[in-house]
Amino acid sequence: MLVTSNTEKKTPLKSLDTLFIKTYGCAMNVYDSSRMSDLMQEAYGLRVVDDPKDADVILMNTCSIREKAEDKVYSELGRYKKIKDKRPDLIIGVGGCVGQQEGDRIQKRAPYVDIVFGPQTYHRLPEMVKTIRRDRVRVTEIDMPEIEKFDHLPKPKVEGLTGYVTIMEGCDKFCTFCIVPYTRGAEISRPVADILVECEQLIAAGAKDISLLGQNVNGYRGTGPDGEECGFAALLHLVGELEGMQRLRFSTSHPMEMNTELCEAFAEIPSLMPYLHLPVQSGSDVILKAMHRGHKREDYFKAIDELRLHTPEIALSSDFIVGFPGETDEDFAATLDLVRRVRFDSAFCFKYSPRPGTPASKAEDNVPEMIKDERLQALLELLREQSREGMAQQVGKSTEVLIESKGKNEGDLQGRTPDFRIVHFKGNPRLIGQTLPVKIVDAYAMSLRGELILAQ
Ligand code: 5AD
Ligand code: SF4
């Protein structure tokens, strides 16, 4: 822990009552934020508020996966500074990947920030807050104490009907464009027994849709109940067959770690939902190699074919990067061709941006911005078309919908299909929490319209 003194005057401290957390980035960060709020609730009884102006502690859980992340953090911090000018006791913390990457540079640039922490050290937040209040200092804590984090966390919580469980952290794949291996550290898998206990707790607390999280979940290699190594497909069987497990998902996967057992798992485990996010990044073998992805386009096709052989209705999503250094028109055409052949239901597309310290950042970022924009638009257009077609194909089908909440329109309920599409339909709010059959009657870009199929 790096502690620096704070020269501000020592007035009596107000008690800590409220917490505001601003979350950026991936599902992993959403999960980490909920654990941070659990920890702070447990240690200080803090209540979470929706407006930073009402908070005694403001935490930012940041993401550095794409460019401009730091800029966004500093501009948001500017807003918090105004609050702190009026209430000097306010504690401001910056965590997550920008915290990890920038370290005490953050406090040099924004001296009103009290805590800087990384994705591996947030379990020590209560202790950091105690040090700050006792000694009136600033704290930076960004070391990577491996698995230690997993041992210090309170029970996971259910938000609505959804629960999240981290099964592994970090990444050893070192894709040349990606900062994650440097910010999240090496791949570490949690023991199977710990994961099972956490899932059971979530189920007991009412979770009906549980997601297993990690940077490369299908690279999971944890210690099984028998002391032997347990792979991801075996873990899915154990978790998916827990009593009361209704819906199981996972994210994110790597094409290199796909295997037959995993492709078959979707058909074999009734609770495993037919949805897979499998980032491919590019359809060109030249670019895949330069990205150090460890597989060719043909391997991706093979994995998808095998998945569809067992689970034809599986919904697929992916991540794409356009304008990677050296990407030619021909390379980009290969990406479009891959998309046409695979057909995706949804996707995230990014323009390449160099991340500090990554191998790709040493190459010239030589695809002109205009070309990156054009490629991004062309790719988005094709993906939107496929997504629209995928939604239209749902019309007329009957599907099991987990009813999550009221819809925005009066009298509407909102739920999710097994393949994660949002459905709106008329129904009594008492049905929230149940899974019921719904007939799909209309399709829009982002959601479906349905009618409850009432029991005769
Ligand atoms: N430039 C553009 N996109 C990136 N991603 C990760 N790093 C970069 C980068 N330097 C994208 C990848 C990854 C997703 C989470 O973010 O597509 O799968
Ligand atoms: Fe980043 Fe590649 Fe690891 Fe995904 S697999 S987190 S893109 S290095």
Side-chain angles (χ1 to χ4, degrees), residues 33 122 171 229 407 414 423 425:
S33 291
Y122 69 76
C171 183
E229 187 178 277
Q414 178 175 315
V423 192
F425 51 96

Side-chain angles (χ1 to χ4, degrees), residues 77-280:
L77 277 174
R79 285 180 54 206
Y80 302 157
K81 178 179 185 299
K82 288 192 189 126
I83 307 175
K84 189 155 178 159
D85 285 344
K86 289 191 199 128
R87 286 195 288 119
D89 282 351
L90 171 67
I91 294 176
I92 301 179
V94 178
C97 296
V98 176
Q100 185 70 39
Q101 196 186 307
E102 293 284 288
D104 53 1
R105 275 199 299 269
I106 294 186
Q107 283 151 321
K108 294 214 174 86
R109 200 166 144 187
Y112 47 90
V113 169
D114 301 283
I115 315 172
V116 175
F117 56 104
Q120 309 286 352
T121 50
Y122 69 76
H123 63 281
R124 299 205 205 115
L125 264 173
E127 207 185 301
M128 294 183 231
V129 168
K130 192 165 145 205
T131 310
I132 288 166
R133 284 174 59 87
R134 189 188 55 216
D135 304 338
R136 310 287 178 98
V137 289
R138 297 190 189 97
V139 172
T140 306
E141 206 165 332
I142 52 172
D143 54 343
M144 293 197 185
E146 306 240 316
I147 201 81
E148 183 193 341
K149 181 174 85 166
F150 292 134
D151 296 335
H152 285 74
L153 298 171
K155 276 190 196 168
K157 262 223 200 99
V158 183
E159 280 161 27
L161 303 170
T162 316
Y164 300 96
V165 177
T166 295
I167 63 161
M168 55 90 65
E169 265 255 313
C171 183
D172 295 337
K173 302 286 185 288
F174 288 93
C175 300
T176 55
F177 53 81
C178 183
I179 205 159
V180 164
Y182 311 94
T183 55
R184 294 261 178 184
E187 272 175 29
I188 303 164
S189 298
R190 297 178 72 189
V192 171
D194 294 8
I195 297 168
L196 293 176
V197 166
E198 217 164 287
C199 288
E200 279 168 342
Q201 287 169 347
L202 287 172
I203 294 168
K208 298 196 188 312
D209 195 319
I210 294 181
S211 292
L212 306 182
L213 301 180
Q215 259 75 38
N216 268 301
V217 284
N218 58 340
Y220 176 87
R221 284 172 190 88
T223 310
D226 51 2
E228 299 288 311
E229 187 178 277
C230 174
F232 185 57
L235 176 76
L236 283 176
H237 278 275
L238 292 169
V239 174
E241 284 148 23
L242 282 175
E243 202 178 319
M245 176 64 75
Q246 290 196 11
R247 292 185 163 197
L248 179 63
R249 306 178 189 280
F250 58 85
S251 187
T252 285
S253 305
H254 196 296
M256 229 170 100
E257 304 271 12
M258 290 304 292
N259 57 31
T260 299
E261 292 82 66
L262 180 51
C263 293
E264 288 172 354
F266 286 95
E268 290 171 356
I269 306 170
S271 62
L272 186 60
M273 294 292 105
Y275 176 91
L276 178 67
H277 181 65
L278 192 62
V280 63

Side-chain angles (χ1 to χ4, degrees), residues 82 90 100 106 114 185 205 235 281 289 302 322 327 369 382 387 394 397 433 443 452:
K82 288 192 189 126
L90 171 67
Q100 185 70 39
I106 294 186
D114 301 283
L235 176 76
Q281 316 295 357
K289 188 159 182 218
K302 263 194 221 145
V322 298
E327 187 188 65
E369 201 55 26
L382 176 59
S387 162
Q394 306 305 309
K397 284 190 186 166
L452 263 177

